[in-house]
Amino acid sequence: VSMGRTLVELFYDVISPYSWLGFEVLCRYQHIWNIDLRLRPAFLGGIMQQTGNKPPAMLPKRAEYMLKDIKRMAKYYQVPVHMSGGDFQRILATSSLAAMRFVTAIEMTNPQYLEPLSREFWMRFWSQHEDISQPENILAVARQAGLSAELSQKALEMTSSPTVKDRLKETTAEAIKYGAFGMPAVVAHYDGEPHLFFGSDRLELLGSVIGE
Protein backbone atom coordinates (compact mmCIF):
# COMPACT_ATOMS: atom_id res chain seq x y z
CA VAL A 1 0.00 0.00 0.00
CA SER A 2 1.46 3.34 -1.02
CA MET A 3 1.95 6.10 1.53
CA GLY A 4 -1.20 7.63 2.87
CA ARG A 5 -3.51 5.46 0.78
CA THR A 6 -6.32 3.56 2.45
CA LEU A 7 -6.44 -0.16 1.78
CA VAL A 8 -9.98 -1.17 0.86
CA GLU A 9 -10.72 -4.89 0.50
CA LEU A 10 -13.75 -6.12 -1.40
CA PHE A 11 -14.85 -9.66 -0.51
CA TYR A 12 -17.18 -10.82 -3.25
CA ASP A 13 -18.75 -13.77 -5.06
CA VAL A 14 -19.90 -13.64 -8.70
CA ILE A 15 -23.24 -15.24 -7.75
CA SER A 16 -24.16 -12.08 -5.82
CA PRO A 17 -25.77 -9.23 -7.80
CA TYR A 18 -25.12 -6.69 -5.04
CA SER A 19 -21.45 -7.71 -5.17
CA TRP A 20 -21.40 -6.70 -8.84
CA LEU A 21 -22.81 -3.27 -8.03
CA GLY A 22 -20.28 -2.74 -5.22
CA PHE A 23 -17.46 -4.00 -7.42
CA GLU A 24 -18.21 -1.60 -10.29
CA VAL A 25 -18.54 1.40 -7.99
CA LEU A 26 -15.27 0.65 -6.18
CA CYS A 27 -13.47 -0.05 -9.49
CA ARG A 28 -14.51 3.46 -10.58
CA TYR A 29 -13.65 5.15 -7.29
CA GLN A 30 -10.22 3.56 -7.02
CA HIS A 31 -9.17 6.19 -9.60
CA ILE A 32 -10.81 9.08 -7.73
CA TRP A 33 -10.35 8.28 -4.07
CA ASN A 34 -6.99 7.88 -2.36
CA ILE A 35 -7.45 4.12 -1.95
CA ASP A 36 -5.77 0.88 -2.90
CA LEU A 37 -8.54 -1.51 -3.87
CA ARG A 38 -7.85 -5.17 -3.21
CA LEU A 39 -10.24 -7.67 -4.77
CA ARG A 40 -10.78 -10.69 -2.51
CA PRO A 41 -12.68 -13.53 -4.21
CA ALA A 42 -14.51 -15.50 -1.49
CA PHE A 43 -17.30 -18.09 -1.35
CA LEU A 44 -20.76 -16.80 -0.44
CA GLY A 45 -22.07 -20.32 0.26
CA GLY A 46 -19.39 -20.76 2.93
CA ILE A 47 -20.20 -17.43 4.56
CA MET A 48 -23.93 -18.17 4.67
CA GLN A 49 -23.35 -21.63 6.08
CA GLN A 50 -20.81 -20.61 8.72
CA THR A 51 -22.76 -17.60 9.98
CA GLY A 52 -26.20 -19.24 9.80
CA ASN A 53 -27.46 -16.57 7.40
CA LYS A 54 -30.36 -17.32 5.02
CA PRO A 55 -30.81 -16.03 1.46
CA PRO A 56 -32.74 -12.74 1.84
CA ALA A 57 -35.16 -13.70 -0.95
CA MET A 58 -36.57 -16.50 1.21
CA LEU A 59 -38.72 -13.81 2.78
CA PRO A 60 -41.33 -13.07 0.05
CA LYS A 61 -41.75 -9.39 0.94
CA ARG A 62 -38.03 -8.93 0.88
CA ALA A 63 -37.71 -10.73 -2.46
CA GLU A 64 -40.35 -8.39 -3.87
CA TYR A 65 -38.40 -5.37 -2.64
CA MET A 66 -35.02 -6.71 -3.83
CA LEU A 67 -36.27 -6.99 -7.40
CA LYS A 68 -37.18 -3.30 -7.45
CA ASP A 69 -34.08 -2.33 -5.49
CA ILE A 70 -31.65 -4.08 -7.84
CA LYS A 71 -33.40 -2.60 -10.89
CA ARG A 72 -33.09 0.90 -9.43
CA MET A 73 -29.48 0.45 -8.39
CA ALA A 74 -28.54 -1.08 -11.75
CA LYS A 75 -30.00 1.96 -13.49
CA TYR A 76 -28.41 4.41 -11.06
CA TYR A 77 -24.93 2.89 -11.30
CA GLN A 78 -25.27 1.96 -15.00
CA VAL A 79 -24.47 -1.72 -14.43
CA PRO A 80 -26.33 -4.23 -16.68
CA VAL A 81 -27.82 -6.44 -13.95
CA HIS A 82 -31.05 -7.84 -15.42
CA MET A 83 -33.06 -9.36 -12.64
CA SER A 84 -36.39 -11.15 -12.71
CA GLY A 85 -38.34 -13.13 -10.12
CA GLY A 86 -36.99 -16.46 -11.36
CA ASP A 87 -33.42 -15.40 -10.63
CA PHE A 88 -33.78 -16.13 -6.93
CA GLN A 89 -34.35 -19.79 -7.80
CA ARG A 90 -31.46 -19.62 -10.24
CA ILE A 91 -29.09 -18.44 -7.50
CA LEU A 92 -30.20 -21.22 -5.17
CA ALA A 93 -29.82 -23.81 -7.94
CA THR A 94 -26.32 -22.69 -8.99
CA SER A 95 -23.11 -23.36 -7.10
CA SER A 96 -20.47 -20.67 -7.55
CA LEU A 97 -17.77 -22.82 -5.96
CA ALA A 98 -16.05 -23.86 -9.23
CA ALA A 99 -16.22 -20.29 -10.58
CA MET A 100 -14.79 -18.78 -7.39
CA ARG A 101 -12.01 -21.38 -7.33
CA PHE A 102 -11.19 -20.43 -10.91
CA VAL A 103 -11.16 -16.72 -10.02
CA THR A 104 -8.92 -17.57 -7.06
CA ALA A 105 -6.51 -19.51 -9.31
CA ILE A 106 -6.23 -16.46 -11.58
CA GLU A 107 -5.78 -14.15 -8.59
CA MET A 108 -2.83 -16.32 -7.48
CA THR A 109 -1.17 -16.65 -10.91
CA ASN A 110 -2.26 -13.69 -13.11
CA PRO A 111 -3.85 -11.02 -10.91
CA GLN A 112 -3.95 -8.52 -13.79
CA TYR A 113 -6.93 -10.51 -15.13
CA LEU A 114 -8.83 -10.54 -11.84
CA GLU A 115 -10.98 -7.46 -12.53
CA PRO A 116 -11.99 -8.28 -16.15
CA LEU A 117 -12.52 -11.97 -15.33
CA SER A 118 -14.79 -11.24 -12.35
CA ARG A 119 -16.76 -8.76 -14.45
CA GLU A 120 -17.28 -11.35 -17.22
CA PHE A 121 -18.65 -13.89 -14.73
CA TRP A 122 -21.24 -11.35 -13.58
CA MET A 123 -21.97 -10.38 -17.20
CA ARG A 124 -22.61 -13.99 -18.14
CA PHE A 125 -24.77 -14.85 -15.12
CA TRP A 126 -26.54 -11.55 -14.45
CA SER A 127 -26.70 -9.91 -17.88
CA GLN A 128 -26.90 -12.87 -20.25
CA HIS A 129 -28.59 -15.29 -17.81
CA GLU A 130 -26.26 -18.14 -18.66
CA ASP A 131 -24.73 -20.82 -16.50
CA ILE A 132 -21.35 -20.31 -14.82
CA SER A 133 -20.99 -23.61 -12.97
CA GLN A 134 -19.70 -25.96 -15.70
CA PRO A 135 -16.09 -26.10 -16.92
CA GLU A 136 -17.06 -25.16 -20.49
CA ASN A 137 -18.93 -22.06 -19.24
CA ILE A 138 -15.97 -21.09 -17.08
CA LEU A 139 -13.61 -21.38 -20.06
CA ALA A 140 -15.99 -19.28 -22.18
CA VAL A 141 -15.97 -16.56 -19.50
CA ALA A 142 -12.16 -16.66 -19.37
CA ARG A 143 -11.97 -16.32 -23.17
CA GLN A 144 -14.33 -13.34 -23.02
CA ALA A 145 -12.05 -11.75 -20.39
CA GLY A 146 -9.03 -12.05 -22.68
CA LEU A 147 -7.28 -15.03 -21.12
CA SER A 148 -5.41 -17.35 -23.47
CA ALA A 149 -6.64 -20.92 -23.90
CA GLU A 150 -3.42 -22.16 -22.29
CA LEU A 151 -3.76 -19.94 -19.24
CA SER A 152 -7.46 -20.80 -18.82
CA GLN A 153 -6.77 -24.52 -19.05
CA LYS A 154 -3.98 -24.26 -16.46
CA ALA A 155 -6.23 -22.29 -14.08
CA LEU A 156 -9.03 -24.82 -14.56
CA GLU A 157 -6.67 -27.66 -13.61
CA MET A 158 -5.57 -25.67 -10.55
CA THR A 159 -9.15 -25.48 -9.26
CA SER A 160 -8.92 -29.02 -7.95
CA SER A 161 -5.59 -28.40 -6.18
CA PRO A 162 -5.40 -28.06 -2.36
CA THR A 163 -3.55 -24.73 -2.82
CA VAL A 164 -6.48 -23.06 -4.55
CA LYS A 165 -9.16 -24.72 -2.41
CA ASP A 166 -7.34 -23.63 0.76
CA ARG A 167 -6.80 -20.09 -0.50
CA LEU A 168 -10.54 -19.68 -1.17
CA LYS A 169 -11.37 -21.15 2.26
CA GLU A 170 -8.87 -18.82 3.94
CA THR A 171 -10.22 -15.72 2.20
CA THR A 172 -13.77 -16.71 3.14
CA ALA A 173 -12.70 -17.26 6.76
CA GLU A 174 -10.98 -13.86 6.75
CA ALA A 175 -14.18 -12.15 5.61
CA ILE A 176 -16.05 -13.84 8.48
CA LYS A 177 -13.33 -12.78 10.92
CA TYR A 178 -13.96 -9.16 9.88
CA GLY A 179 -17.65 -9.68 10.67
CA ALA A 180 -19.06 -10.52 7.24
CA PHE A 181 -22.36 -12.45 7.09
CA GLY A 182 -23.10 -11.92 3.38
CA MET A 183 -21.79 -10.25 0.23
CA PRO A 184 -20.36 -7.88 -0.71
CA ALA A 185 -18.27 -7.22 2.39
CA VAL A 186 -16.08 -4.15 2.11
CA VAL A 187 -13.31 -3.69 4.67
CA ALA A 188 -11.51 -0.35 4.89
CA HIS A 189 -8.28 -0.29 6.91
CA TYR A 190 -8.25 3.18 8.38
CA ASP A 191 -6.73 4.68 11.53
CA GLY A 192 -5.15 1.35 12.37
CA GLU A 193 -8.38 -0.65 12.38
CA PRO A 194 -10.64 -2.50 9.95
CA HIS A 195 -14.09 -1.01 9.22
CA LEU A 196 -16.66 -3.39 7.73
CA PHE A 197 -19.37 -2.14 5.37
CA PHE A 198 -21.97 -4.62 4.16
CA GLY A 199 -23.69 -4.31 0.79
CA SER A 200 -23.36 -1.89 -2.10
CA ASP A 201 -25.44 0.91 -0.55
CA ARG A 202 -22.97 1.99 2.14
CA LEU A 203 -20.26 3.35 -0.12
CA GLU A 204 -20.97 7.03 0.66
CA LEU A 205 -20.56 6.10 4.30
CA LEU A 206 -17.29 4.33 3.49
CA GLY A 207 -16.07 7.51 1.78
CA SER A 208 -17.05 9.59 4.77
CA VAL A 209 -15.26 7.32 7.27
CA ILE A 210 -11.99 7.36 5.30
CA GLY A 211 -12.16 11.11 4.67
CA GLU A 212 -13.17 11.03 1.01
Side-chain angles (χ1 to χ4, degrees):
V1 176
S2 20
M3 270 307 281
R5 289 175 87 79
T6 301
L7 171 63
V8 174
E9 298 184 88
L10 169 67
F11 294 89
Y12 68 96
D13 186 317
V14 296
I15 202 91
S16 151
Y18 285 111
S19 288
W20 190 12
L21 294 164
F23 166 89
E24 293 298 357
V25 175
L26 287 171
C27 283
R28 292 168 199 172
Y29 273 86
Q30 70 180 332
H31 306 293
I32 302 164
W33 286 352
N34 194 21
I35 62 173
D36 279 317
L37 178 61
R38 189 171 170 208
L39 299 175
R40 306 293 311 275
F43 180 47
L44 180 58
I47 290 187
M48 300 298 270
Q49 196 190 348
Q50 290 172 53
T51 60
N53 195 357
K54 301 269 179 290
M58 286 173 84
L59 184 68
K61 277 292 174 201
R62 192 162 175 191
E64 217 175 286
Y65 173 78
M66 273 174 77
L67 270 182
K68 292 180 193 146
D69 186 52
I70 286 177
K71 278 188 182 130
R72 284 189 296 220
M73 287 190 80
K75 191 178 169 192
Y76 180 71
Y77 287 129
Q78 300 291 293
V79 178
V81 187
H82 301 304
M83 184 127 188
S84 63
D87 285 330
F88 295 125
Q89 285 315 112
R90 219 161 58 94
I91 298 183
L92 294 174
T94 304
S95 171
S96 62
L97 188 57
M100 292 318 293
R101 280 181 181 159
F102 187 85
V103 174
T104 300
I106 289 300
E107 180 211 13
M108 294 172 81
T109 55
N110 295 82
Q112 72 273 25
Y113 287 113
L114 189 52
E115 185 186 319
L117 177 69
S118 302
R119 182 175 288 116
E120 286 304 333
F121 269 111
W122 277 303
M123 285 296 287
R124 188 176 175 93
F125 192 79
W126 284 109
S127 205
Q128 294 147 3
H129 287 109
E130 290 185 44
D131 188 62
I132 54 164
S133 64
Q134 301 307 311
E136 61 272 21
N137 307 135
I138 290 173
L139 291 174
V141 168
R143 214 172 24 248
Q144 217 34 62
L147 279 75
S148 70
E150 191 188 4
L151 183 57
S152 310
Q153 198 52 52
K154 190 175 149 250
L156 192 63
E157 282 160 21
M158 283 177 70
T159 57
S160 54
S161 73
T163 328
V164 167
K165 289 178 176 178
D166 289 348
R167 171 66 167 262
L168 183 59
K169 277 194 194 120
E170 280 158 21
T171 306
T172 305
E174 218 176 306
I176 294 171
K177 190 191 82 194
Y178 285 129
F181 50 87
M183 296 274 195
V186 180
V187 178
H189 298 268
Y190 189 73
D191 259 359
E193 56 174 314
H195 302 259
L196 172 76
F197 299 88
F198 170 65
S200 50
D201 55 351
R202 285 292 179 269
L203 299 170
E204 294 90 344
L205 195 56
L206 161 71
S208 163
V209 167
I210 66 174
E212 288 292 350

